[in-house]
Amino acid sequence: KAGVTQTPRYLIKTRGQQVTLSCSPISGHRSVSWYQQTPGQGLQFLFEYFSETQRNKGNFPGRFSGRQFSNSRSEMNVSTLELGDSALYLCASSWTSGRTGELFFGEGSRLTVL
Amino acid sequence: DQQVKQNSPSLSVQEGRISILNCDYTNSMFDYFLWYKKYPAEGPTFLISISSIKDKNEDGRFTVFLNKSAKHLSLHIVPSQPGDSAVYFCAARSGGGADGLTFGKGTHLIIQP
């Protein structure tokens, strides 16, 4: 069974640009969550999508957005990039958006903003 | 305000001994706790979890203990093996799970031969 796949794995952008990251969940999983990992803040929740609907969003500015398609694949977009957006962006999937919280993570997309 | 705290950035343990990783939380609404393990260049992988209605959960070499009154949980690894060297994240979720998981900043466990 294929795991969570994230593309691209690495990318470099400059301030002011925008970026789109992609995530393909484990087959059959309908929930996709996104997290940002930085050395100073650790892993922080960005948002979760279930059946193409955003369930909730973490404490991030509106420059961070996402969407989920009917096949459960998800994308997240960051507009007007800032230096502080440099981070590892992790996508995680689960079968359902439930209480148990067991998430299956991808390897992440490492974004560097220059 | 950090709701989940792992106060030890790193921990070194001899192979074969017990590793104890600690985690404190402040949000009394958390009712489900998880531990994740992360190797370099890989995403975190789920290790073990515990519901707030329990005080202990065991899975092979891994045991998680929850002390609700102290808002403290710990992960015990016995015996520690070289492959256990990784960063361990404590995470918590409140009822409904709509707010995602709240993670600690991680503890880097190093198993010495």
Side-chain angles (χ1 to χ4, degrees):
Chain A
K1 192 174 188 181
V4 177
T5 304
Q6 292 188 244
T7 57
R9 291 290 314 279
Y10 303 92
L11 66 166
I12 300 173
K13 294 284 187 178
T14 56
R15 278 182 299 174
Q17 287 187 309
Q18 67 94 25
V19 66
T20 299
L21 308 177
S22 180
C23 172
S24 293
I26 291 172
S27 178
H29 285 192
R30 296 168 61 192
S31 171
V32 173
S33 304
W34 289 89
Y35 289 81
Q36 180 196 64
Q37 184 183 12
T38 58
Q41 298 298 321
L43 278 131
Q44 293 186 288
F45 173 69
L46 279 157
F47 28 65
E48 179 187 6
Y49 286 87
F50 181 77
S51 294
E52 301 178 65
T53 301
Q54 186 180 92
R55 287 197 74 229
N56 209 346
K57 188 173 180 180
N59 190 25
F60 280 83
R63 300 184 297 107
F64 291 80
S65 63
R67 59 179 176 168
Q68 186 180 32
F69 302 95
S70 58
N71 61 358
S72 294
R73 190 177 71 86
S74 177
E75 288 180 348
M76 68 162 283
N77 184 277
V78 188
S79 62
T80 320
L81 284 166
E82 300 176 0
L83 295 178
D85 297 333
S86 294
L88 179 68
Y89 291 87
L90 290 160
C91 168
S93 75
S94 62
W95 183 77
T96 183
S97 182
R99 293 169 55 96
T100 59
E102 181 179 340
L103 303 177
F104 295 83
F105 284 87
E107 294 179 323
S109 293
R110 182 163 295 282
L111 170 65
T112 302
V113 182
L114 302 176
Chain B
D1 178 33
Q2 210 181 339
Q3 298 185 63
V4 177
K5 298 179 184 179
Q6 294 178 257
N7 291 320
S8 299
S10 66
L11 174 68
S12 185
V13 174
Q14 215 166 6
E15 182 180 354
R17 308 291 290 268
I18 182 172
S19 294
I20 300 176
L21 295 96
N22 293 304
C23 177
D24 296 297
Y25 62 96
T26 57
N27 188 343
S28 57
M29 299 301 291
F30 287 145
D31 62 357
Y32 201 81
F33 303 89
L34 308 92
W35 285 93
Y36 280 83
K37 175 180 177 179
K38 186 179 186 299
Y39 293 117
E42 295 184 11
T45 55
F46 171 75
L47 200 55
I48 192 169
S49 63
I50 187 167
S51 165
S52 60
I53 63 173
K54 295 185 176 181
D55 55 18
K56 177 183 173 181
N57 188 26
E58 193 171 351
D59 184 1
R61 296 187 298 115
F62 303 92
T63 303
V64 56
F65 295 92
L66 174 62
N67 182 335
K68 281 190 296 183
S69 60
K71 292 190 174 70
H72 176 84
L73 66 156
S74 61
L75 173 68
H76 292 211
I77 306 173
V78 183
S80 300
Q81 299 175 354
D84 296 330
S85 294
V87 177
Y88 289 78
F89 291 96
C90 170
R93 192 162 208 165
S94 58
D99 297 327
L101 289 173
T102 301
F103 282 85
K105 293 189 178 182
T107 296
H108 185 194
L109 176 64
I110 302 162
I111 305 302
Q112 306 275 11

